[in-house]
Amino acid sequence: MHLPEFNYYEPHSLDEAVECLNEGQRGAVVAGGTDLVVALKQRLQKPGFLLSLDKIPSLKGIKSSNEFLSLGAMTTLEEIIKSSLIKERFPALSKAAREVGSPLLRNIATIGGNICLNSRCRFYNQSAFWRSANDLCYKAGGITCHVTKRKNYCASTFCADIPPVLLAYGAVVKLVGPQGERTIMLKDFYTGEGRFPNEIMAGSREILTEVTIPFPPAELKSTYYKFRLRDSIDFPLIGVAVAFEADEKGRCKGIRLVFTGVGSGPFEFRHAGEMLSGSELKEELVAQVAERAAGEIHPLKTDLISPRYKREVAKVIIKEAIMEAGGGR
Amino acid sequence: MKEYKIVGKGLPRVDGPAKATGKAGYTVDVHLPGMLYGKILRSPYPHARIISIDTGEAEKLPGVKGIVTGKELHNVRYAFVDTPRYPADEQPLAVDRVRYIGDEVAVVAAESEAIAEKAVELIKVEYEILPPVFKAEEAMKEGAPLIHDEQLEGTSSWEQWGVAQKKKSGEAKSGANNISGHSRVSYGDVEQGFKEADYIREDVFDLKATAHCPMEPHAAVANFDAVSGTLHVWLSTQGIFLKRFFLSKTLKIPTAKIRVHHTYVGGAFGGKIDLFPYEYCAAYLAMKIKRPVKIELDREEVFMTTRQRHPMTITVKTGLKKDGAILAQDIRVIADNGGYRGSGPVVVFLCHGFSYPIYNIPNYRYEGFSVYTNNPIRGPQRGHGAPQIRFSLDSHIDLIARDLGLDPVEMMLKNVRVQGDVLPNGDVLNSCGLSECIEGAARAIGWKEKRRQFSTAEGDGRYRRGVGISVCSMFSGAMYYPFASSAVVKLHDDGSATLFTGAQDIGQGSYTTLSQVLAEELGICLEDVHVVAGDTDLCPIDLGSFLSGTALVTGSAVKMAAADARRQVLEGAAELLGVDDINELDTREKKIFARKEPERYVTFQQAIQTGVLRKGNPVIGIGYYKGYDKTDRYPSLAKGKGLFTGAYGFAAQAAEVEVDTWTGKVRLVKAVTFHDCGYPLNKTIVEGQIHGCASMGAGQALSEEIYLQKGQLFNPSFLTYRLPISTDTPESVEGIVASLEPSGPFGAKEVGEGSVAGILGAIANAVHDATGVRIKSLPITPDKLLPALLEVLV
Amino acid sequence: MMMKKNIHLEINGEIKDLTVDVNRTLLEVLREDLNLTGTKKGCNQGECGACTVLLDGKPVSSCSLLAVKADGKSIFTVEGLAPEGQLHPIQQTFNEKGAIQCGFCTPGMILVTKQLLDSNPSPDEQEIKEAISGNICRCTGYVQIIDAIKALSDVTKK
C-alpha cells in the first residue's frame, strides 16, 4: 500500500513548528516515523499534514547537568545505546533501548517516538482491507472493541519498551504547544486509555520536545526485562522495568516496578515497596511480590498470546528483574 | 565417494555475483515503457454471494485504464488439479460467489499503483453473506454449508496429452460433503495385523497452516505484442512451462504464442507453482488494454492468497511386536484445503507417499480426505505433506518406544527400509541410505549420552535439555506436466558452452549444479558454462523446480546433452588425432586427449572448428529425461497406484532443545541433518539446502502458525508470523550420505525438500525427552507448552 | 496536487538533487526514480530488511523512511559497494560460503555486514547474529551467512 496524500512541513525552529500545529487541519508529528509510516500505509491515521522535527536542532542530543540527564525527543535509540554515560548511570534505559525492535529500526526510531508510541491490537494494527471485514473497532473510529465486545472502550495494549524505564527513573517530559510550554511527570502524559493513550493523541496539539531524568543515587540499581518470542523485531509480550534502592545493609529502601505490554498504558505496581521495604531480597519474598504483581495485571487478548500465559510469564520476569536489580544474582 | 573435477565441489554459485551486486533482475524489478499497474479488489468476507458490483466511481478516477470483474471472465476455469474426477474449481475473478477472505473480485489497471489502489477502494460491491464453515471436520458433516455446489464438469487439463479419462459412472460427485479429494490405500491385512500385535497405540496429531514466506513477493508483468499476437510475461515462478500451459489454456492462445521471460526468483518453496489470478489478470489486462501491465502483491496478499501449508488432523494407530517390529499401521488424514481445491487431492495422496517409503510395514491402511472450508486456499509447500505426516508418525514412534521401553533409534533401525526394497506400488529403492542417516544423526547429536529418558531424574533446574530424532523421505521428481525435462548444450567455437534449461533457479542453486554436471561431463571448466534459462522460447521443456526433480530429472537431461555434445567434439578430435575409436579419447579442461597418450591433445576450439569446417557441425548436444522411465503420466491419487518416482531422497534429523520450564520457551540448541541425497553435486549448495530446510522446519515446529479466526488471517506480516530470525539459529550440523542413485546424474537425487520434515518430530520428541511433556500439535509455542509443563512439573 | 519537495542527497558518493512527492518512501525513490533496484521491497512495513540501505553509514529500512527525511544525508546502496564488474570482499565471501540462495535478502544482508565490520572488525558469533537480526532470510537458515561474516571477520583480524 502506498502512503496517502498529506502535506509535509519541516520547520527549522520550535516556534515555527508550534505555528504549524495551529493549522486548521489535524496533523501528525513525525520523529523517526518508523511506526507512523506503517500506520499511514494501513490508513490507521489520515493526517492532513506531517510535521517533521528533523530540522529542529534543539530537539537532538543528550545533555547532562549535575542533577539531570536530558534527551532531546529526536535522539535515536542507537544514540542512547552508544552513550556510555547512559550505560553507566541508567543501565535500564540502555538495555531497553537495545531491545527495541531490530537494529534497523533503532537507527531511525527516536526516544520521543517511543514515548508517544501508539498502543496496539490484533484487530487494529492491520491493513484497511483487513479491517473492512469487520465493523471498525472503537480505536479505528467505530463503536465496539472487538477484543472485549465493550462499547466506547478500547483494550489496545501499550507496548513501548522505553517508557516503563523512564517512569521507574521518575522522568519528566516537556511539551510545547500554542499555549506555551509545560513540563509534566511522564506518568501524567499517559491517559491509560487504549484509544488515545497519551495527551498528544488525545488532542493536546503539542510536541514532546524533551525527556529529563534525575541522576539516581549511586545505590539505585535498575534493569529492564523484556519478554518476547524472538530476540529481535518483536514487540514485548511483556516488559518490566525495576529501579531498586538498597540501604547500606542491602535492605530495600525503595523500589519501583513498571510494566509494559499488560494494559492500555504503562502500569506501575505500587505495593512492591511496602512488601519489600526494610527487607533483604530473599527469593521467597520476591516471589510473593511477583505473584501479587502478576495478579494485578490484566492483559487482554490483544495479540496472539493468551493473557493467562502473559501472567504466568510476568511472575517469572518480575522475579528475575528484581533479583537482578537487587544484585541477588 | 568418487572424486570428480567439478561435481561434488563446493564451488561458488554462478548467479552469485549478479545477486550480490544487486544486478539480478527479479520480476518485481521488471519495468517496461508505458507500463500500467494492476491492483486486485478482494473479498473481505469468507463466504458470500456477490449481488452487484459498481465500478462507476472507480472508472472515473483519472489514470484508471481498465477494470475487469468476474462476469467478463465467467468461462475461465483452471486449477492445480484438473481431472475428470476433480474438475478445475478456480476462476480468476469471482463470478457470483466468494469463498474465502481474499478471494479475487475485480482488478484495476491504472497509470500508477497508487491510483490503482485508490480505484480499488472506490469499487462498491454488494454482498449477501452466506453461512461459512471453518473446520474441516464440521464441513464434512451432513448439513454443513456446501462450498462448491456448482456443477463442475470438465475433462482434464491434459486432455490433448491423452491423460484424461472420462469420469467413471458411479463416482461420487466432487464437492459432496465438502470433500475435495480422497485417497485410500491399503495392503496386507491390517485387521489381522492388529490381532497379531502384542501392543497397539493410537494417537491424534494436529498441525496448523504455515506460510512459505518467499522474500520476493509474488509479481507478474505482461505485455502483448498485437502484431505477432504474442503474449510476453515475466513471472516469479517455479515452473515456466507449467505457467505457460495454464495461461494458454485460460487465455485460449497457443502455447507458442506465449513467451515467459527469464527473471530471478526470490524464493518460492512451493508457493509459486499454481496459476494465480494476479498472473491471469495481468495477462488479460495487457491483451485488453494493449499496454504492459504489472501486478505485484503486497505482503499481506502473499500471506493470504498465495497458498499455505495444509492444516491437518492425523490419526495414527500402530500394532507391534514386543521387540518393536511394526506389524500393522492405520493412518487417517483430514486436510483443510480452504475455499478452493488447491492441491488437496495431491497432498492427501502425498501423505501416504511420504509415509510408506520409510518403515517396512506388512499390513498398512491409509485414508486421507481433503476438505473445502472458508479458509484461505492451501497448496504445495516444501515437503508437501511430508512435514505433517512425518511429524505425526515419528512423534507416534517415539511414544511407542517409550511405552515399550525401547530406544527409538533402535526401533527405527529395526523397521526402516533398505536398498533394494520394492515398495508396494512397485517403486524400487535403488539407493537408500536411511540407516546410515539415522546412525549418523544419532551419533552427531550425542544420542546415547544426551538422551534423558532412561536416566534418573536429574536436573530439576529451570532449563532442561533433551534430544529427539525423526526421519523423512521425498520424491526426486514425479510425473506432472510437461512430464519430462530436456536440455540443450550449445558449444561455441572457443570451446565454451551455453546450457539451455527450462529449470528455474529459485535459490536452490540449479543453474550452478546443472552447470557443474555439464562441465564435468563435457570436460570443460565451470567458468566456461553460460546458462540461458527461464525463457520458454529459448529453452527446451522442463518439469519445473518442484517435486524435487531438478537434480535428478533435469540433471540427467543435462548430463545426456553434455554427453551428446562431447561425442560430437570427440568425433572432430578423433580425426585430428588420428584415432579411430572415440572411446580411446578423454576430455579435461577444454582439451581432448588420447587416454593412453595424454600428452597428445587437441583443444575443444580446434575440434569444434574442424567439425564446422568439415561437416558444418557447430556442436549442439541434446538430452532429455522423463521423470521415471517405467511409467507414463501420473499415478492414481485416489488409490495410490502406479509408480511415484524414480528415486527417494532420505534424511534423519535430530534435535537438541533447551526448554525454559518457567516460560515454556523452547530453544533449538542443535539441529542435525543427515541427508541421503545420492551424491552432492555441489557440497556448499547441498549444505545450504539442508540448513534452509532445517530452519524452516524448526520455525514450523516452534513458532510459525497461520492464525485464523473465522477465516480471517490475524498475522499476515513478518512481525506477527514468527518465522526464524538470525538469533534463532542453532548449532547446525549436516552430514551428507552418498548412496549413489543409479538413475541420477553422478548418483544425485533429492535434497531440497525432505529435511524440512524430520526436524518437526525431532523437536517434539526432544521436548518430551527434556520435560516429559508430549505436545501433539504444532507449533509448540510457549503458551501451549507452559500450561502442560505446569501440570507435570511441580 | 501532491506536495513536492526538493531534496539534496549523496547517493553512493554522487550528489543528487531531486524533486519528490512528500508521500513517497526512500525505497520508492531509489527503485523507481533512480533505478537502483538492488534495494528490494520485501514487506514494505519495516519488518524484513530487504530494503536496507546505509543512511549516513547506518543500516535502515528504506521502505519506512520518507524520502524527504533523507534530505541532506548520504545514502549507500548495494550498487555502491564495488565498481561495475568487480566484487567487494563481502560479496565475494558471501558467494564462496553459500550465503546467497535466492538473493533477495542479499543486498540488505551485505550492507548490514559492511556496517558491522566497519564498526567492529572482529565480531563474535552473537554480535553477528544480533547485527543481522532485522534482516530476514528464508532460504539459508542463516547458517552460511553467519559463516561468511565470520570468515570476513577472521580476514580482518589478520
Side-chain angles (χ1 to χ4, degrees), chain B residues 12-13 15-21 24 26 505 507-509 512 684-685 688-689, chain C residues 87 90-107 109-110 137 139-140 144-145 148:
Chain B
R13 301 170 65 104
D15 53 351
K19 288 173 172 174
T21 53
Y26 298 79
D505 198 318
Q508 90 284 35
T512 308
T684 306
I685 284 176
Q689 285 302 299
Chain C
L87 293 181
I90 298 175
Q91 294 168 319
Q92 185 82 35
T93 308
F94 262 55
N95 196 27
E96 280 165 7
K97 294 287 175 184
I100 302 170
Q101 288 194 28
C102 86
F104 208 75
C105 75
T106 304
M109 281 292 181
I110 284 177
C137 169
C139 295
T140 62
Q144 287 165 318
I145 294 175

Side-chain angles (χ1 to χ4, degrees), chain B residues 544-557:
Chain B
S545 299
F546 48 93
L547 276 161
S548 283
T550 304
L552 190 147
V553 182
T554 307
S556 295

Side-chain angles (χ1 to χ4, degrees), chain B residues 721-780:
Chain B
Y721 181 86
R722 291 189 173 95
L723 71 170
I725 59 173
S726 59
T727 46
D728 297 319
T729 313
E731 180 190 347
S732 304
V733 177
E734 79 291 321
I736 297 170
V737 172
S739 63
L740 298 178
E741 166 56 36
S743 66
F746 304 99
K749 56 181 178 179
E750 176 274 334
V751 71
E753 289 193 75
S755 46
V756 75
I759 199 75
L760 305 173
I763 288 172
N765 293 340
V767 168
H768 192 163
D769 189 44
T771 64
V773 167
R774 171 62 55 172
I775 302 293
K776 293 185 190 175
S777 65
L778 291 186
I780 305 174

Side-chain angles (χ1 to χ4, degrees), chain A residues 1-2 5 43 120 122-123 126-127 129-130 132-134 227-235 237 283 301 304-306 308-309 312-313 316 319-320 329, chain B residues 42-45 101 113-114 117-118 121 298 300 304 462 662-663 665 707 709 712-716 718-719 721-723 725 727-728 782-783 786-787 790:
Chain A
M1 201 66 178
H2 285 73
E5 293 188 359
R43 304 295 187 265
R120 302 179 62 84
R122 68 193 162 105
F123 285 96
Q126 302 283 4
S127 71
F129 163 77
W130 194 99
S132 73
N134 305 304
F227 185 79
R228 53 177 166 177
L229 297 185
R230 295 183 297 189
D231 290 338
S232 184
I233 302 180
D234 292 9
F235 281 97
L237 283 180
E283 198 153 341
K301 197 161 181 195
L304 305 179
I305 293 286
S306 76
R308 180 190 156 189
Y309 176 74
E312 285 299 334
V313 165
V316 176
K319 203 171 121 185
E320 291 281 292
R329 60 182 57 172
Chain B
R42 299 176 180 280
S43 165
Y45 303 115
I101 296 178
E113 209 174 25
E117 284 169 358
K118 251 184 239 168
E121 285 171 10
D298 64 31
E300 179 182 16
M304 183 169 56
R462 173 173 176 178
W662 292 5
T663 64
K665 244 188 179 180
Y707 190 102
Q709 219 172 310
Q712 190 160 30
L713 172 52
F714 275 75
N715 53 349
F718 293 136
L719 176 64
Y721 181 86
R722 291 189 173 95
L723 71 170
I725 59 173
T727 46
D728 297 319
D783 61 337
L786 186 63
L790 290 175

Side-chain angles (χ1 to χ4, degrees), chain A residues 290-304:
Chain A
E291 189 78 28
R292 187 160 162 203
E296 287 203 9
I297 59 170
H298 302 286
L300 295 166
K301 197 161 181 195
T302 55
D303 55 29
L304 305 179

Side-chain angles (χ1 to χ4, degrees), chain A residues 7-65:
Chain A
N7 287 333
Y8 188 80
Y9 305 134
E10 214 172 29
H12 285 75
S13 72
L14 210 48
D15 289 347
E16 248 183 88
V18 169
E19 245 170 73
C20 294
L21 286 176
N22 258 337
E23 252 207 23
Q25 315 169 278
R26 258 200 92 94
V29 174
V30 53
T34 50
D35 197 58
L36 182 66
V37 169
V38 178
L40 292 172
K41 285 179 182 175
Q42 297 184 324
R43 304 295 187 265
L44 293 171
Q45 295 188 41
K46 291 168 199 157
F49 65 88
L50 295 193
L51 176 62
S52 163
L53 304 182
D54 279 329
K55 303 261 156 107
I56 307 175
S58 64
L59 300 183
K60 293 195 172 95
I62 302 165
K63 290 175 219 117
S64 63
S65 66

